[in-house]
Amino acid sequence: MPLPSSSAAVPGTPPRSASLADVAALAGVSAGTVSRALSRPDMLSEATRTRVLAAAERLGYVANGAARALAMRRTFTVGAIVPRFGRSSFPTMVQALEATLAAAGYTLLLSAPERERGHDPALLRALLERGVDAVALLGADQPPAMFAALAAHRRPFVLLWAEHSAEGPCVGFDEADAGAQLIAHLAGLGHRSIGILSGSTVDNERAQRRLRGLTAAIARHGLQLHPAAVVETETGFAQGFAAMQALRARRTPVTAVVCANDYLAAGALSALDQAGVAVPAQMSVASFNDNDFSAFLHPPLTTVRLPIQEIGEQAGRLLLASLRGDAPPGNPLLPVTLVVRASTGPAPG
Amino acid sequence: MPLPSSSAAVPGTPPRSASLADVAALAGVSAGTVSRALSRPDMLSEATRTRVLAAAERLGYVANGAARALAMRRTFTVGAIVPRFGRSSFPTMVQALEATLAAAGYTLLLSAPERERGHDPALLRALLERGVDAVALLGADQPPAMFAALAAHRRPFVLLWAEHSAEGPCVGFDEADAGAQLIAHLAGLGHRSIGILSGSTVDNERAQRRLRGLTAAIARHGLQLHPAAVVETETGFAQGFAAMQALRARRTPVTAVVCANDYLAAGALSALDQAGVAVPAQMSVASFNDNDFSAFLHPPLTTVRLPIQEIGEQAGRLLLASLRGDAPPGNPLLPVTLVVRASTGPAPG
């Protein structure tokens, strides 16, 4: 259907968008003056600027973002690429980032691809071409092309859920400390043989760090970790259910199972429930995250509370400081806290 | 810290982004020709176009998205505004929308504000100013300013999780049928007195429709619904836990409780578990969504499976058809299916 090109107000047709020329006509100035009023207001007198802005407001003039971006070189948008959005804690982190930026007048544009496209430089290019002022990326393990594009465009950026990178600022927490707190708790309850349901460590630095932190703490406490007692799986409730069934089928003599996150732990608890294994009398289960559902599982879950919302907030503050031209605040690792609930208890026997 | 303005390759400084002039110099053409090769390739000879594109590729030239958007009037990005992202099924829906658009070469830019800003026309303006080609919005209850902005910019749009709107195409499911299936199941099990944990209906057409569908079906089956047996609450596990405690404190003689979604139901099951109420022997619990965790609750949850992923996919196909200039596919309501698990059983007594 051809769109009407007439600007006459025909009932039932959408109103034509006011143009820069319309604003100029109403304000009695040139189109160039309107453009400067929007992009370089310091070049105009206060009276002219006021007249142009009043006309623009009256006509409901929406500045063409592309044109304004060219003129101002500032779009007040921040881009983020956070893959694997469903079935994870990332929505909570991103919403906190969004709220922190929104409070300073910035809009967050999010690219939330499937996991395998999370490191696709084309997604970053799409954001940079839209003119975002800054960028947030998930994790430190970005391909060099990502950092090169950020450098070439001279955009401030932050790496979310990352401990350290030579490439730029990170916001994260001390993974080794999180693992150490959980294993110390289990060791204190008399557990000597531990199983692990790990996230898949293939191409996932976050899962790798978590598994390393746990195995190091298990070794430090002199506890046992059979190779057969470590099951790697994708994240999710169904995956945790299946992984616990697989772990039990291997008949390793573990009395406590540590899950890489609360999604896996919820599925694992369900598998134990269905198999008639009493938690924690026969088996303790503990995990990481403290998701919103974790206090309401059967039984309520012992878990290391990770600073998921705080990562989003801190990353937002860091980007805003960079955009203001301030030195970004230091980014010490955010604290983690063990939350003890009913899913862990003394080792049986 | 001032940024280096020299274009000399200094070791340790980021590479300067190639400019349009650089591409023109390498290709031996004018800057205008480079610009036309990118924006109006049909105006150039095949040989010239090939030379320019080869030069652009060689230099890693990233076209300035703002400039290109002005020239092409097509950005291959789609914007979406989906508020209240955490603690809901919306991430699953959005990821399906993203995947469908990505398969056709489109990038989805998502604005995921707090709930109260979900209808803020400023968010839509930010997306339109970034030059998105099309827009997806959550729900039919948008303020008139949203539809006016879409009409003024002549952008195709779709309303997600919506049954019908005079303003434009919707993708959703038959809410009344979903409620009818659930109530018929409970009536068939002999339940006569039903309680409801409803989402907050204030400013939420989706929660309003769900509650209306349930109360209509309850009336049709001649079942009882005491006003005191309806508790409204925000969505979430903790909220479901508290709402079930509140419902029990009112001592209405209900034998089955219908929850507005599986998040509330999971919290409600936890509250019953903690109070020593056997499910389903003493109380049946049923719900809507069939979230990924619902089969792993204690006991596994009877719930109406909603087409959450399908809404995202269908909306993506609809926008792509509009962008191709095809007539958008018809959008019949997507089907819902009752999934019976262990949380519902015969009415006690």
Side-chain angles (χ1 to χ4, degrees), chain B residues 298-338:
Chain B
H298 177 77
L301 184 65
T302 293
T303 184
V304 180
R305 186 183 178 282
L306 302 182
I308 295 167
Q309 179 167 339
E310 290 83 348
I311 291 175
E313 291 167 353
Q314 177 77 1
R317 285 194 292 267
L318 192 146
L319 289 178
L320 291 170
S322 298
L323 288 165
R324 280 194 306 268
D326 296 351
N331 49 326
L333 295 173
L334 296 164
V336 299
T337 323
L338 178 68

Side-chain angles (χ1 to χ4, degrees), chain B residues 34-54:
Chain B
V34 174
S35 175
R36 274 190 297 281
L38 298 171
S39 61
R40 298 288 313 276
D42 50 300
M43 291 173 67
L44 299 181
S45 74
E46 174 68 28
T48 305
R49 198 163 65 223
T50 306
R51 205 160 69 234
V52 170
L53 292 180

Side-chain angles (χ1 to χ4, degrees), chain A residues 3-4 14 65-66 68 85-86 95 98-99 102 108 110 112-113 117 129-130 151 154 237-238 241 270 273 292-293 296 298, chain B residues 4 14 65-66 68 85-86 95 98-99 102 108 110 112-114 117 129-130 151 154 237-238 241 270 273 292-293 296 298:
Chain A
L3 291 164
R68 210 176 52 174
F85 212 71
Q95 199 122 38
E98 196 276 340
L108 181 72
L110 177 68
R117 289 181 59 237
E129 290 186 359
R130 295 281 77 67
R154 299 201 171 120
F237 298 96
F241 187 93
S270 179
D273 188 32
D292 49 3
F293 58 79
F296 305 103
H298 175 78
Chain B
R68 210 174 51 173
F85 213 71
Q95 199 122 39
E98 196 276 339
L108 181 71
L110 178 67
E114 308 275 359
R117 290 181 58 236
E129 291 186 357
R130 295 280 76 67
R154 297 200 174 120
F237 298 96
F241 187 93
S270 180
D273 189 32
D292 49 3
F293 57 80
F296 304 102
H298 177 77

Side-chain angles (χ1 to χ4, degrees), chain B:
Chain B
M1 188 182 75
L3 292 164
S5 60
S6 159
S7 67
V10 180
T13 62
R16 190 175 67 94
S17 198
S19 73
L20 191 124
D22 297 334
V23 176
L26 183 60
V29 299
S30 72
T33 300
V34 174
S35 175
R36 274 190 297 281
L38 298 171
S39 61
R40 298 288 313 276
D42 50 300
M43 291 173 67
L44 299 181
S45 74
E46 174 68 28
T48 305
R49 198 163 65 223
T50 306
R51 205 160 69 234
V52 170
L53 292 180
E57 190 151 315
R58 174 121 178 247
L59 291 172
Y61 175 67
V62 177
N64 180 315
R68 210 174 51 173
L70 281 173
M72 294 186 66
R73 303 191 173 280
R74 182 57 75 98
T75 63
F76 291 95
T77 54
V78 171
I81 303 177
V82 179
R84 222 186 162 185
F85 213 71
R87 216 175 292 176
S88 79
S89 304
F90 300 149
T92 301
M93 175 179 72
V94 168
Q95 199 122 39
L97 175 62
E98 196 276 339
T100 304
L101 294 170
Y106 280 82
T107 298
L108 181 71
L109 294 183
L110 178 67
S111 186
E114 308 275 359
R115 181 180 171 184
E116 55 270 25
R117 290 181 58 236
H119 286 165
D120 184 350
L123 294 176
L124 179 58
R125 272 202 300 275
L127 285 169
L128 292 171
E129 291 186 357
R130 295 280 76 67
V132 296
D133 294 331
V135 175
L137 300 173
L138 180 72
D141 59 336
Q142 305 292 334
M146 302 288 265
F147 295 117
L150 289 165
H153 282 257
R154 297 200 174 120
R155 288 289 175 274
F157 67 94
V158 63
L159 303 173
L160 302 161
W161 206 286
E163 278 185 51
H164 174 77
S165 168
E167 303 288 348
C170 297
V171 178
F173 53 88
D174 187 338
E175 185 69 57
D177 179 45
Q181 288 193 36
L182 202 48
I183 296 301
H185 168 66
L186 294 173
L189 289 167
H191 294 278
R192 306 296 307 158
S193 186
I194 313 281
I196 297 179
L197 305 191
S198 169
S200 170
T201 57
V202 178
D203 289 336
N204 187 332
E205 63 153 359
R206 290 167 297 288
Q208 289 162 11
R209 275 194 287 141
R210 180 147 305 163
L211 185 55
R212 272 202 308 273
L214 286 170
T215 52
I218 287 170
R220 242 179 3 254
H221 282 275
L223 310 184
Q224 256 195 323
L225 180 68
H226 287 288
V230 180
V231 178
E232 281 203 24
T233 178
E234 292 298 313
T235 286
F237 298 96
Q239 289 79 1
F241 187 93
M244 179 55 90
Q245 287 188 320
L247 182 66
R248 292 191 69 244
R250 294 178 189 181
R251 302 191 176 284
T252 53
V254 302
T255 59
V257 173
V258 177
C259 303
N261 61 50
D262 293 358
Y263 297 84
L264 289 174
L269 285 175
S270 180
L272 292 170
D273 189 32
Q274 185 176 301
V277 177
V279 175
Q282 295 172 270
M283 176 87 85
S284 284
V285 174
S287 175
F288 296 85
N289 269 18
D290 198 21
N291 281 120
D292 49 3
F293 57 80
S294 304
F296 304 102
L297 294 174
H298 177 77
L301 184 65
T302 293
T303 184
V304 180
R305 186 183 178 282
L306 302 182
I308 295 167
Q309 179 167 339
E310 290 83 348
I311 291 175
E313 291 167 353
Q314 177 77 1
R317 285 194 292 267
L318 192 146
L319 289 178
L320 291 170
S322 298
L323 288 165
R324 280 194 306 268
D326 296 351
N331 49 326
L333 295 173
L334 296 164
V336 299
T337 323
L338 178 68
V339 180
V340 177
R341 299 196 184 99
S343 69
T344 49

Side-chain angles (χ1 to χ4, degrees), chain A residues 9 54 139 177 179 185 190-191 205 219 229-230 245-246 248 271 274 279 340 345:
Chain A
D177 180 46
H185 168 66
H191 294 278
E205 62 154 0
V230 180
Q245 288 188 319
R248 292 191 68 244
Q274 186 177 300
V279 176
V340 177

